[in-house]
Amino acid sequence: MATRRNGESSKITVSLIKADVGSYPGHTVVHPDLLETAKREMAKAKQQKTLLDACVLNCGDDLELIMTHRKGTDNRTIHQLAWNTFETCTEVAKKLKLYGAGQDLLVDAFSGNIRGMGPGVAELEFTERKGEPLVAFMMDKTEPGAFNLPVYKMFADPFNTAGLIIDPTLHGGFDFEVWDIIESRKVLLHTPAELYDLLALIGTKSRYVIKRVWPGKGHPKLPLDEPVAAVSTEKLSLIAGEYVGKDDPVALVRSQSGLPALGEVIEPFAHGHLVSGWMRGSHNGPLMPVGFKDARCTRFDGPPRVIAAGFVLTNGALTGPVDLFDDPAFNPTRQRAAEITDYMRRHGPFEPHRLPAEDMEYTTLPKVMAKLKDRFQKAE
Ligand code: 13P
Ligand code: 13P
Ligand code: MG
Ligand code: MG
């Protein structure tokens, strides 16, 4: 726990809290009026000194609040601020008759902590270093497990992160905090020693998700009790008990100087790996890294997208954002993702384009099965 004066910490907290509170047309993008409203609310909170700084973005239909402050993670005031901002934006969305107004606000009233209430949350509290590069990743039309492969590659795969070989300060490896989101339990696994155990879990990406990454034991440059990456793990269907939109996730990743370099942090997204989500949250498809302006899921409500906003922290101020995937070096990835989209689409309702039965549990498909239930007869 950091030193606290007047409830304020010497450490900086970055809180990335997001929700889909209405979009147009269908599930495509956040309306400019909602972005304006959110920016106004954030500016007010800055003026009142609740926040040090804030940046409002959207990834497709998801409204993203990137906030800095000194109040620590899971702070009631900050979570309430995000909740109130989403509620205010919902009112605007209702007036405009946007699709799914208030979609991710699953409860009627805020009760202390926004986790478990619908919005997605990724938070990091740490001592700001001399240079503090930070990347906020935001995805649309997919689920938290979509971060498993790229975050694994950033912090544990030497074929991705050259620093794991070249830089001795990275040789102690990193610790992965993995959550079982079905049974609400967690486990800490050390890499490189427990790499195979880690992969045995996180390959099951709809259940085991990387929640945080910590510096490995004896890291020469970083406090061991300060996380270096955090992912939102909220699963809407597990909260609401039915399909209410996908759990479009976000992540915060710190970089450089004893951590993966910035280019090593974004390199895993050159893969365009397969993730689940897309149309009706029911299909597998390639994750396409795009610039902010292309974070618009149109074709078959997809394919799923990821944007990356790069910042440096300047005494808590967010210097940026730099639109990191707005780079022709990612054109081949995007082209390949478009080709994979064609290929996957040709399967129509067949697996593995459509998700397997167990992942369809929270969609409307069980209603179709129920309709047929009495028609089945015993087969010889
Ligand atoms: P640092 O160790 O200072 O992060 O430098 C590594 C680097 O930037 C290589 O690309
Ligand atoms: P979102 O989760 O982005 O709202 O998308 C829902 C959907 O059903 C898309 O087809
Ligand atoms: Mg939506
Ligand atoms: Mg979305």
mmCIF file of all heavy atoms in Angstrom, residues 94-121:
data_model
loop_
_atom_site.group_PDB
_atom_site.id
_atom_site.type_symbol
_atom_site.label_atom_id
_atom_site.label_comp_id
_atom_site.label_asym_id
_atom_site.label_seq_id
_atom_site.Cartn_x
_atom_site.Cartn_y
_atom_site.Cartn_z
ATOM 1 N N LYS A 94 -30.535 7.336 -25.365
ATOM 2 C CA LYS A 94 -31.991 7.088 -25.419
ATOM 3 C C LYS A 94 -32.680 8.139 -26.265
ATOM 4 O O LYS A 94 -33.547 7.821 -27.088
ATOM 5 C CB LYS A 94 -32.574 7.090 -24.001
ATOM 6 C CG LYS A 94 -32.354 5.777 -23.257
ATOM 7 C CD LYS A 94 -33.031 5.818 -21.899
ATOM 8 C CE LYS A 94 -32.760 4.530 -21.135
ATOM 9 N NZ LYS A 94 -32.899 4.714 -19.683
ATOM 10 N N LYS A 95 -32.283 9.402 -26.067
ATOM 11 C CA LYS A 95 -32.898 10.497 -26.836
ATOM 12 C C LYS A 95 -32.659 10.296 -28.330
ATOM 13 O O LYS A 95 -33.528 10.550 -29.152
ATOM 14 C CB LYS A 95 -32.316 11.837 -26.394
ATOM 15 C CG LYS A 95 -32.981 12.359 -25.136
ATOM 16 C CD LYS A 95 -32.741 13.855 -24.956
ATOM 17 C CE LYS A 95 -33.056 14.221 -23.512
ATOM 18 N NZ LYS A 95 -31.849 14.549 -22.729
ATOM 19 N N LEU A 96 -31.465 9.845 -28.680
ATOM 20 C CA LEU A 96 -31.117 9.646 -30.097
ATOM 21 C C LEU A 96 -31.659 8.306 -30.618
ATOM 22 O O LEU A 96 -31.483 7.984 -31.781
ATOM 23 C CB LEU A 96 -29.592 9.683 -30.271
ATOM 24 C CG LEU A 96 -28.926 11.054 -30.156
ATOM 25 C CD1 LEU A 96 -27.418 10.896 -29.985
ATOM 26 C CD2 LEU A 96 -29.225 11.890 -31.396
ATOM 27 N N LYS A 97 -32.263 7.522 -29.717
ATOM 28 C CA LYS A 97 -32.752 6.171 -30.041
ATOM 29 C C LYS A 97 -31.644 5.300 -30.623
ATOM 30 O O LYS A 97 -31.825 4.565 -31.587
ATOM 31 C CB LYS A 97 -33.965 6.232 -30.985
ATOM 32 C CG LYS A 97 -35.171 6.901 -30.324
ATOM 33 C CD LYS A 97 -36.374 6.955 -31.207
ATOM 34 C CE LYS A 97 -37.220 5.693 -31.131
ATOM 35 N NZ LYS A 97 -38.483 5.827 -31.871
ATOM 36 N N LEU A 98 -30.476 5.395 -30.019
ATOM 37 C CA LEU A 98 -29.347 4.563 -30.450
ATOM 38 C C LEU A 98 -29.616 3.116 -30.062
ATOM 39 O O LEU A 98 -30.422 2.841 -29.169
ATOM 40 C CB LEU A 98 -28.040 5.051 -29.805
ATOM 41 C CG LEU A 98 -27.637 6.488 -30.125
ATOM 42 C CD1 LEU A 98 -26.281 6.803 -29.510
ATOM 43 C CD2 LEU A 98 -27.598 6.734 -31.632
ATOM 44 N N TYR A 99 -28.914 2.214 -30.703
ATOM 45 C CA TYR A 99 -29.170 0.795 -30.448
ATOM 46 C C TYR A 99 -28.542 0.355 -29.129
ATOM 47 O O TYR A 99 -27.383 0.650 -28.851
ATOM 48 C CB TYR A 99 -28.668 -0.083 -31.593
ATOM 49 C CG TYR A 99 -29.309 -1.438 -31.479
ATOM 50 C CD1 TYR A 99 -30.664 -1.595 -31.799
ATOM 51 C CD2 TYR A 99 -28.617 -2.527 -30.978
ATOM 52 C CE1 TYR A 99 -31.293 -2.801 -31.635
ATOM 53 C CE2 TYR A 99 -29.249 -3.746 -30.810
ATOM 54 C CZ TYR A 99 -30.584 -3.875 -31.140
ATOM 55 O OH TYR A 99 -31.209 -5.069 -30.953
ATOM 56 N N GLY A 100 -29.317 -0.373 -28.332
ATOM 57 C CA GLY A 100 -28.798 -0.907 -27.063
ATOM 58 C C GLY A 100 -28.418 0.181 -26.077
ATOM 59 O O GLY A 100 -27.375 0.079 -25.419
ATOM 60 N N ALA A 101 -29.249 1.240 -25.960
ATOM 61 C CA ALA A 101 -28.945 2.312 -24.993
ATOM 62 C C ALA A 101 -28.849 1.711 -23.593
ATOM 63 O O ALA A 101 -29.754 1.011 -23.148
ATOM 64 C CB ALA A 101 -30.010 3.395 -25.054
ATOM 65 N N GLY A 102 -27.736 1.947 -22.936
ATOM 66 C CA GLY A 102 -27.543 1.418 -21.581
ATOM 67 C C GLY A 102 -27.225 -0.067 -21.549
ATOM 68 O O GLY A 102 -27.247 -0.694 -20.491
ATOM 69 N N GLN A 103 -26.872 -0.628 -22.711
ATOM 70 C CA GLN A 103 -26.656 -2.086 -22.860
ATOM 71 C C GLN A 103 -25.832 -2.730 -21.736
ATOM 72 O O GLN A 103 -26.215 -3.750 -21.178
ATOM 73 C CB GLN A 103 -25.955 -2.361 -24.204
ATOM 74 C CG GLN A 103 -25.532 -3.813 -24.426
ATOM 75 C CD GLN A 103 -24.830 -4.019 -25.769
ATOM 76 O OE1 GLN A 103 -25.470 -3.995 -26.808
ATOM 77 N NE2 GLN A 103 -23.522 -4.218 -25.742
ATOM 78 N N ASP A 104 -24.691 -2.119 -21.395
ATOM 79 C CA ASP A 104 -23.782 -2.773 -20.445
ATOM 80 C C ASP A 104 -24.007 -2.355 -18.988
ATOM 81 O O ASP A 104 -23.263 -2.790 -18.115
ATOM 82 C CB ASP A 104 -22.312 -2.473 -20.812
ATOM 83 C CG ASP A 104 -21.885 -3.196 -22.089
ATOM 84 O OD1 ASP A 104 -22.700 -3.963 -22.636
ATOM 85 O OD2 ASP A 104 -20.741 -2.976 -22.520
ATOM 86 N N LEU A 105 -25.006 -1.505 -18.728
ATOM 87 C CA LEU A 105 -25.280 -1.142 -17.328
ATOM 88 C C LEU A 105 -26.328 -2.129 -16.826
ATOM 89 O O LEU A 105 -27.515 -1.975 -17.045
ATOM 90 C CB LEU A 105 -25.774 0.308 -17.225
ATOM 91 C CG LEU A 105 -24.873 1.361 -17.891
ATOM 92 C CD1 LEU A 105 -25.384 2.764 -17.597
ATOM 93 C CD2 LEU A 105 -23.411 1.242 -17.427
ATOM 94 N N LEU A 106 -25.841 -3.184 -16.166
ATOM 95 C CA LEU A 106 -26.711 -4.323 -15.884
ATOM 96 C C LEU A 106 -27.505 -4.197 -14.593
ATOM 97 O O LEU A 106 -28.373 -5.008 -14.318
ATOM 98 C CB LEU A 106 -25.879 -5.612 -15.848
ATOM 99 C CG LEU A 106 -25.118 -5.954 -17.139
ATOM 100 C CD1 LEU A 106 -24.399 -7.276 -16.978
ATOM 101 C CD2 LEU A 106 -26.054 -6.004 -18.337
ATOM 102 N N VAL A 107 -27.188 -3.220 -13.775
ATOM 103 C CA VAL A 107 -27.939 -3.054 -12.530
ATOM 104 C C VAL A 107 -28.546 -1.648 -12.506
ATOM 105 O O VAL A 107 -28.129 -0.781 -13.267
ATOM 106 C CB VAL A 107 -27.034 -3.263 -11.285
ATOM 107 C CG1 VAL A 107 -26.546 -4.692 -11.201
ATOM 108 C CG2 VAL A 107 -25.850 -2.309 -11.302
ATOM 109 N N ASP A 108 -29.532 -1.435 -11.639
ATOM 110 C CA ASP A 108 -30.239 -0.153 -11.625
ATOM 111 C C ASP A 108 -29.437 0.952 -10.952
ATOM 112 O O ASP A 108 -29.505 2.101 -11.339
ATOM 113 C CB ASP A 108 -31.592 -0.302 -10.917
ATOM 114 C CG ASP A 108 -32.525 -1.163 -11.757
ATOM 115 O OD1 ASP A 108 -32.329 -1.177 -12.990
ATOM 116 O OD2 ASP A 108 -33.388 -1.838 -11.178
ATOM 117 N N ALA A 109 -28.671 0.585 -9.917
ATOM 118 C CA ALA A 109 -27.971 1.632 -9.175
ATOM 119 C C ALA A 109 -26.568 1.194 -8.807
ATOM 120 O O ALA A 109 -26.304 0.009 -8.587
ATOM 121 C CB ALA A 109 -28.760 1.971 -7.926
ATOM 122 N N PHE A 110 -25.678 2.165 -8.742
ATOM 123 C CA PHE A 110 -24.283 1.917 -8.389
ATOM 124 C C PHE A 110 -24.190 1.542 -6.909
ATOM 125 O O PHE A 110 -24.852 2.131 -6.067
ATOM 126 C CB PHE A 110 -23.473 3.192 -8.652
ATOM 127 C CG PHE A 110 -22.026 3.060 -8.304
ATOM 128 C CD1 PHE A 110 -21.161 2.373 -9.141
ATOM 129 C CD2 PHE A 110 -21.516 3.613 -7.137
ATOM 130 C CE1 PHE A 110 -19.817 2.247 -8.828
ATOM 131 C CE2 PHE A 110 -20.180 3.492 -6.811
ATOM 132 C CZ PHE A 110 -19.330 2.805 -7.665
ATOM 133 N N SER A 111 -23.335 0.529 -6.603
ATOM 134 C CA SER A 111 -23.231 0.159 -5.188
ATOM 135 C C SER A 111 -21.782 -0.056 -4.767
ATOM 136 O O SER A 111 -21.402 -1.114 -4.292
ATOM 137 C CB SER A 111 -24.055 -1.089 -4.902
ATOM 138 O OG SER A 111 -23.534 -2.161 -5.651
ATOM 139 N N GLY A 112 -20.937 0.941 -4.996
ATOM 140 C CA GLY A 112 -19.603 0.922 -4.401
ATOM 141 C C GLY A 112 -18.456 0.568 -5.315
ATOM 142 O O GLY A 112 -17.394 1.143 -5.224
ATOM 143 N N ASN A 113 -18.653 -0.439 -6.178
ATOM 144 C CA ASN A 113 -17.575 -0.866 -7.067
ATOM 145 C C ASN A 113 -18.204 -1.276 -8.396
ATOM 146 O O ASN A 113 -19.165 -2.041 -8.416
ATOM 147 C CB ASN A 113 -16.831 -2.055 -6.440
ATOM 148 C CG ASN A 113 -15.560 -2.396 -7.195
ATOM 149 O OD1 ASN A 113 -15.572 -2.538 -8.414
ATOM 150 N ND2 ASN A 113 -14.461 -2.525 -6.468
ATOM 151 N N ILE A 114 -17.653 -0.764 -9.480
ATOM 152 C CA ILE A 114 -18.292 -0.960 -10.791
ATOM 153 C C ILE A 114 -18.089 -2.385 -11.324
ATOM 154 O O ILE A 114 -18.787 -2.836 -12.217
ATOM 155 C CB ILE A 114 -17.775 0.117 -11.791
ATOM 156 C CG1 ILE A 114 -18.804 0.379 -12.898
ATOM 157 C CG2 ILE A 114 -16.408 -0.259 -12.348
ATOM 158 C CD1 ILE A 114 -18.554 1.660 -13.674
ATOM 159 N N ARG A 115 -17.118 -3.116 -10.695
ATOM 160 C CA ARG A 115 -16.875 -4.487 -11.166
ATOM 161 C C ARG A 115 -18.092 -5.352 -10.877
ATOM 162 O O ARG A 115 -18.672 -5.275 -9.801
ATOM 163 C CB ARG A 115 -15.628 -5.063 -10.506
ATOM 164 C CG ARG A 115 -14.354 -4.403 -11.065
ATOM 165 C CD ARG A 115 -13.101 -5.154 -10.725
ATOM 166 N NE ARG A 115 -12.747 -5.029 -9.335
ATOM 167 C CZ ARG A 115 -12.591 -6.062 -8.517
ATOM 168 N NH1 ARG A 115 -12.782 -7.287 -8.953
ATOM 169 N NH2 ARG A 115 -12.249 -5.867 -7.271
ATOM 170 N N GLY A 116 -18.472 -6.161 -11.834
ATOM 171 C CA GLY A 116 -19.647 -7.018 -11.651
ATOM 172 C C GLY A 116 -20.951 -6.312 -11.984
ATOM 173 O O GLY A 116 -22.023 -6.884 -11.839
ATOM 174 N N MET A 117 -20.878 -5.058 -12.439
ATOM 175 C CA MET A 117 -22.112 -4.324 -12.749
ATOM 176 C C MET A 117 -22.305 -4.164 -14.262
ATOM 177 O O MET A 117 -23.276 -3.545 -14.690
ATOM 178 C CB MET A 117 -22.080 -2.957 -12.063
ATOM 179 C CG MET A 117 -21.977 -3.072 -10.544
ATOM 180 S SD MET A 117 -21.798 -1.497 -9.708
ATOM 181 C CE MET A 117 -23.499 -0.965 -9.703
ATOM 182 N N GLY A 118 -21.375 -4.693 -15.050
ATOM 183 C CA GLY A 118 -21.508 -4.634 -16.504
ATOM 184 C C GLY A 118 -20.297 -4.053 -17.220
ATOM 185 O O GLY A 118 -19.733 -4.696 -18.099
ATOM 186 N N PRO A 119 -19.851 -2.826 -16.846
ATOM 187 C CA PRO A 119 -18.682 -2.255 -17.528
ATOM 188 C C PRO A 119 -17.411 -3.103 -17.343
ATOM 189 O O PRO A 119 -17.320 -3.878 -16.388
ATOM 190 C CB PRO A 119 -18.527 -0.880 -16.873
ATOM 191 C CG PRO A 119 -19.904 -0.532 -16.409
ATOM 192 C CD PRO A 119 -20.498 -1.841 -15.963
ATOM 193 N N GLY A 120 -16.446 -2.939 -18.249
ATOM 194 C CA GLY A 120 -15.157 -3.627 -18.144
ATOM 195 C C GLY A 120 -14.152 -2.709 -17.467
ATOM 196 O O GLY A 120 -14.177 -1.489 -17.668
ATOM 197 N N VAL A 121 -13.258 -3.299 -16.658
ATOM 198 C CA VAL A 121 -12.320 -2.501 -15.870
ATOM 199 C C VAL A 121 -10.908 -3.073 -15.947
ATOM 200 O O VAL A 121 -10.701 -4.261 -15.689
ATOM 201 C CB VAL A 121 -12.730 -2.496 -14.369
ATOM 202 C CG1 VAL A 121 -11.804 -1.582 -13.561
ATOM 203 C CG2 VAL A 121 -14.179 -2.074 -14.197
#
